[in-house]
Amino acid sequence: MVMKDSSFVKKLDHVYEELDIYRSVMEYSSDLISLLSQEGKFVYASPASFKLLGYDPQELIDLSFYDFCHPEDLEKLRIFLTRMQRKDFATITYRTRRREGDYIWLESTAHSIHTNQTEEAKYLCISRDITDRKLAEEEIKESEEKYRLLVEHSHDTIGVLTNEGFCIYINETGKKLLGITGKGEVIGKSITNFIHPDDHRTFNKFIARNREGRFPTSEIFELQVVRPDLESKQVEMKLIPTLYKGRRTQQMIIRDITDRKKTEEMLQKAEKLSVVGQLAAGIAHEIRNPLTAIKGFTQLLNGDNENDYVDVILNELDRVETIVSDLLVLAKPQIVNLEHVDLSELLKSVATLLNTQAILHKVEIETVIFKPKSLHIDGERDKLKQVFINIVKNAIEAMPDGGKIVIKAMTAQKGKISIQIIDQGTGIPPGRLEKLGEPFYSTKEKGTGLGLMICNKIIKNHRGSLNIKSKLNEGTIVEILLPKNLKTKQM
């Protein structure tokens, strides 16, 4: 009997020790340990309730758990405790009010327990203050959202590439630049698919530097982007070594500089034209004075005795005078001899004038005039005739195997007249087409580039425009738009 009592006492002591341990855990734990009824009322609360909520444990007894919950989280908490009736374990995060009136975030883990078979189950809750963690998460989320909005709405293309050059992210601006419908058309593919082959070497050089880490650089470099619709864009690109979702990657920033490049080219072209105009005016002035004297004395030498050689000299002097007059067009700021011009009659006369030359080249010239009575403008007849002759001659020369030239004229929108000269020639490559009209640039072997430049100048003096469209082995369309009335405002 004594032995049994001794064994029982040892077990009882062991139970008391465990109870002391549990009591110490509950007394000194920084987490709030509470026991709730199925209705959500406090049956027990640990001393941590004062630190977390500002209430002594005894103040919480018989108070409802719901009374402290934030209104926006109340329904979520009700559903949580209802589900606990069918589960043994669950976790929830919610906001609860402290005595001072402010709210903190709690993370509660609940266990369903039964003290005995007759009583209903109760919920043992261990609640931890996670306010700092929640605020940090919200701050990170807010920062990520700001960065996402900044990236998505940036005027520059922003993307992320693997170190091998495969795209794993691109923003909305990138879709527009690359001319794609969805991001799936570029994600997972090499960005070199959208870079002109001539620029592959440049791109690979910069991405390799960052990949190898020997000479990492964020230097800006230029290259040409080619879209699926074959439209080209001039861009500036920068590659920056970075981490993306734990991977070593390269952030790609692309700026479209196509318009800027075009503006720079226009400024350079305008500067060239200005220099050429000044040069042409100086040359024409210096040539015209001695030319007048030479022509006068040559005519005296001819006298009454006609000389074939003198006639040749006079004819060539006339041609020099014509060239000098053309040069002066580049320097002349405005139209001088404004007159009423019948474009229908003028175009037909040009076709008649060049018909013999066209026949020699096996070329047929056809004129198609729509509503001829309405095709009247104010301008310089001789200068406009010079433009049409120059363009038709170019069309004839562009058809070494013969063909057909169609000269169309019709009224256009906004009080303008459209003249189109269409040939079936060899066409002009896209790269050369962009440079047509620049000083000293010509597609002809012995051309000077001044012919089309002079045509452009004459048309601009008439407040018109000259546009050229061409396809290789199909032909070229030159369209000239001229306003009907120049009298109200001269250039």
Side-chain angles (χ1 to χ4, degrees), residues 325 328-338 378-380 383 457-463 486-487 489-491:
S325 297
L328 284 172
V329 169
L330 297 174
K332 189 169 66 173
Q334 62 182 11
I335 298 172
V336 177
N337 300 317
L338 195 63
D378 298 321
E380 285 190 295
K383 294 302 178 187
K457 181 69 175 178
I458 293 172
I459 297 302
K460 285 183 179 179
N461 284 346
H462 284 77
R463 299 212 318 268
L486 274 179
K487 290 182 179 179
K489 181 181 177 182
Q490 293 186 20
M491 294 294 289

Side-chain angles (χ1 to χ4, degrees), residues 251-263:
Q251 186 175 33
M252 170 184 68
I253 302 174
I254 304 176
R255 176 165 294 176
D256 187 352
I257 58 170
T258 306
D259 291 338
R260 190 180 83 191
K261 283 288 185 181
K262 286 180 179 178
T263 302

Side-chain angles (χ1 to χ4, degrees), residues 5-31:
D5 289 342
S6 175
S7 175
F8 175 76
V9 169
K10 285 183 179 180
K11 288 181 179 180
L12 192 62
D13 288 341
H14 182 68
V15 170
Y16 284 141
E17 285 179 9
E18 287 187 346
L19 287 173
D20 286 338
I21 292 171
Y22 293 146
R23 187 180 295 109
S24 297
V25 170
M26 297 177 75
E27 292 289 331
Y28 298 108
S29 172
S30 59
D31 294 341

Side-chain angles (χ1 to χ4, degrees), residues 137-153:
E137 288 174 355
E138 288 177 5
E139 188 175 341
I140 291 171
K141 188 177 179 181
E142 184 179 341
S143 177
E144 287 177 347
E145 181 64 14
K146 285 179 180 178
Y147 179 74
R148 187 189 67 79
L149 290 172
L150 180 65
V151 169
E152 285 297 333
H153 295 88

Side-chain angles (χ1 to χ4, degrees), residues 305-320:
N305 301 319
E306 293 187 2
N307 189 311
D308 292 339
Y309 295 112
V310 174
D311 289 338
V312 172
I313 294 171
L314 288 172
N315 287 335
E316 291 303 309
L317 287 173
D318 288 337
R319 197 162 76 88
V320 172

